[in-house]
Amino acid sequence: MSSHDAKAMRPGAIDPPMPLAHHFDTPGQQAGSAKFGMWVFLATEILMFSGLFLAYFVVRMLYPEMVLSSHELLDKTMGGVNTVVLLTSSFTMAMAVRAAQLGDQKGVVRNIILTILFAFVFMGVKYVEYTGKFAHGIFPGKYFDYVAAGEYAREHGHVLAGKPHIFFGLYFVMTGLHGVHVLAGIGVLTWVLLRARKGEFGPRYYAPVENVGLYWHIVDLVWIFLFPLLYLVR
Amino acid sequence: MVDAHKIEDDLVFLNGEALGPEEAVEIQEHVSPLSLYYKVLSALFVLTGLTYAVSYLDLGELGLPVAMFVAVIKVSLVCTYFMHLKHDDRYHVFVFLSTLLFVGIFFTFILFDLSSRDRLSDEQGTFFQQRMDPDKGMPSRQPGFGPGLTPALPPGAAPAATVAPEATAEPAAEDKAEHDAGAH
């Protein structure tokens, strides 16, 4: 129905027609249902990550020395750069939604491309961090190489106490699950980008942009807590 | 196609507000001004710099609350403005906050239990056969690794007779589980 109308419009059209599924009465109801569904999904995401955060706090409570000595091996600056990258990507995502609200087709495409680029920068920094850790025997759980990691810590003037493999197990699982979410985010952002390039989004219909944006902001929120807990807190 | 979703009912409820047939066709969305987004982004950068700088100070016990406080401010900024919760349907705020409530219950009960059960056991006179200091719990398989890797039992202490032999040889990760399993 709407695709026929869309072809009749000039490229870069300001307000493409809005598709309304037959089971909705109004576009507002349709957009509201989509957004409500997204929020319920985000609630499950928060609950899933909360289990890992709780594991972190329990381990920290039971083995404070181990957490405080192990986290010295993480690179604060790389974590900080990734925080800035992710916050900026959240900003560009919000700008993409705003551009869609205003019918700025080019703005939507440009901001989503920027968001995807920032996501790749984030994963690039993560790759450098992970390979750096692996090179010094810092693997999660039972693959942890105590001798290599101990030497690496001593070179940097730190002494590893207790059970560093537990801390790094948490580190890899928490940042790893977060990284999986970033990769999924790149996937859905690409989907929205392809649709945005066809000029499907405008002031009356932009629920996919907005919902992908909400997902992307949740990924950002998780990192806002991960960064100080894993990299900074002493 | 506009005709297909023309509103014929007298009253339509949208985002919790009763709307006339004309208004209900439009999606009620608030467009925030550009300057607001720049302000929020700069505030987020400043707060990130702040946590980064504070991490070099030795605040001791205060380190965690300060870092969490700044993180909560950052998260509220992102939720309020980037996720549009401020101008959104209030029901989404309810979903979000009730999630946080349940996370709070989850955290409170488990952390309260873990932090108070030792004291409660002492009060009740519950005796644990094997109690390990968290920092001395690592089996001494990796000697000379650090101050934390001293043997599981202090030199003077006699091993409890009823401890299962495999308990001391278990990997350190199970220390707490072993300890808990010993409760009667």
Side-chain angles (χ1 to χ4, degrees):
Chain A
M1 45 178 247
S2 56
S3 60
H4 180 261
D5 295 356
K7 273 174 193 142
M9 297 178 86
R10 281 174 291 115
I14 298 302
D15 191 5
M18 103 201 98
L20 182 69
H22 66 89
H23 49 281
F24 291 115
D25 286 334
T26 67
Q29 186 195 25
Q30 176 174 262
S33 311
K35 212 166 163 185
F36 172 63
M38 196 64 204
W39 271 105
V40 171
F41 170 67
L42 296 186
T44 67
E45 290 280 272
I46 293 170
L47 290 171
M48 175 173 67
F49 274 103
S50 78
L52 289 172
F53 278 107
L54 181 59
Y56 170 89
F57 282 114
V58 167
V59 165
R60 195 185 156 103
M61 191 175 77
L62 296 178
Y63 312 107
E65 289 295 313
M66 176 269 279
V67 170
L68 296 186
S69 68
S70 306
H71 102 280
E72 297 286 354
L73 292 190
L74 297 177
D75 192 329
K76 279 183 185 187
T77 310
M78 281 204 200
V81 166
N82 257 355
T83 307
V84 170
V85 166
L86 219 49
L87 288 175
T88 315
S89 79
S90 241
F91 167 77
T92 55
M93 191 66 234
M95 296 305 287
V97 175
R98 187 176 182 276
Q101 285 178 326
L102 295 175
D104 175 7
Q105 304 281 350
K106 283 184 182 152
V108 181
V109 171
R110 189 180 57 235
N111 280 301
I112 290 177
I113 289 176
L114 281 175
T115 310
I116 295 173
L117 284 180
F118 283 124
F120 274 111
V121 172
F122 180 89
M123 291 313 287
V125 174
K126 266 280 53 96
Y127 174 79
V128 172
E129 277 190 274
Y130 273 22
T131 46
K133 295 286 165 290
F134 293 157
H136 297 287
I138 299 172
F139 291 100
K142 66 173 180 178
Y143 303 102
F144 194 85
D145 183 344
Y146 294 92
V147 180
E151 253 167 45
Y152 177 60
R154 237 170 276 130
E155 280 167 24
H156 289 76
H158 303 300
V159 179
L160 284 180
K163 312 161 185 75
H165 64 284
I166 298 182
F167 175 82
F168 284 102
L170 272 175
Y171 165 77
F172 281 115
V173 171
M174 291 174 96
T175 57
L177 186 64
H178 179 264
V180 167
H181 277 79
V182 173
L183 290 179
I186 293 173
V188 286
L189 281 166
T190 309
W191 168 67
V192 166
L193 174 66
L194 295 177
R195 291 188 65 182
R197 281 167 62 96
K198 291 184 201 152
E200 288 189 24
F201 305 121
R204 289 184 300 162
Y205 177 67
Y206 58 92
V209 187
E210 189 169 40
N211 286 344
V212 165
L214 288 177
Y215 170 81
W216 192 250
H217 294 311
I218 278 286
V219 172
D220 187 29
L221 293 194
V222 171
W223 184 259
I224 287 176
F225 278 107
L226 279 182
F227 171 57
L229 286 178
L230 291 174
Y231 290 81
L232 296 185
V233 164
R234 56 170 77 197
Chain B
M1 292 315 295
V2 177
D3 295 337
H5 40 80
K6 198 169 182 179
I7 310 306
E8 265 133 32
D9 302 316
D10 291 322
L11 206 58
V12 170
F13 286 89
L14 196 61
N15 297 338
E17 284 171 43
L19 301 170
E22 295 300 313
E23 298 165 286
V25 180
E26 294 300 316
I27 299 171
Q28 308 287 311
E29 284 291 353
H30 180 268
V31 182
S32 309
L34 204 54
S35 60
L36 181 72
Y37 288 106
Y38 284 114
K39 278 181 202 157
V40 171
L41 183 67
S42 353
L44 289 170
F45 283 165
V46 169
L47 289 170
T48 305
L50 186 71
T51 26
Y52 187 82
V54 160
S55 75
Y56 284 99
L57 306 173
D58 195 3
L59 292 179
E61 291 283 298
L62 274 178
L64 184 63
V66 167
M68 286 299 94
F69 180 66
V70 176
V72 166
I73 296 177
K74 284 163 77 178
V75 161
S76 338
L77 282 175
V78 171
C79 288
T80 314
Y81 298 107
F82 284 178
M83 298 174 91
H84 292 287
L85 274 183
K86 190 177 180 186
H87 301 287
D88 204 354
D89 191 338
R90 297 289 277 282
Y91 195 50
H92 300 154
V93 182
F94 167 74
V95 171
F96 181 61
L97 291 183
S98 55
T99 310
L100 296 188
L101 174 73
F102 281 97
V103 170
I105 292 171
F106 182 36
F107 275 42
T108 311
F109 274 68
I110 289 183
L111 290 176
F112 176 70
D113 173 37
L114 279 174
S115 60
S116 62
R117 64 164 64 169
D118 282 357
R119 194 156 42 79
L120 288 173
S121 302
D122 289 345
E123 280 174 17
Q124 295 173 55
T126 308
F127 178 67
F128 290 98
Q129 294 297 334
Q130 186 186 31
R131 169 168 284 170
M132 287 190 175
D133 185 321
D135 288 326
K136 294 177 181 170
M138 191 73 185
S140 51
R141 283 177 304 176
Q142 310 282 340
F145 190 62
L149 290 186
T150 46
L153 289 168
T162 50
V163 170
E166 64 268 24
T168 43
E170 281 291 294
E174 269 118 66
D175 282 353
K176 194 66 188 174
E178 287 287 329
H179 165 115
D180 295 341
H184 294 297

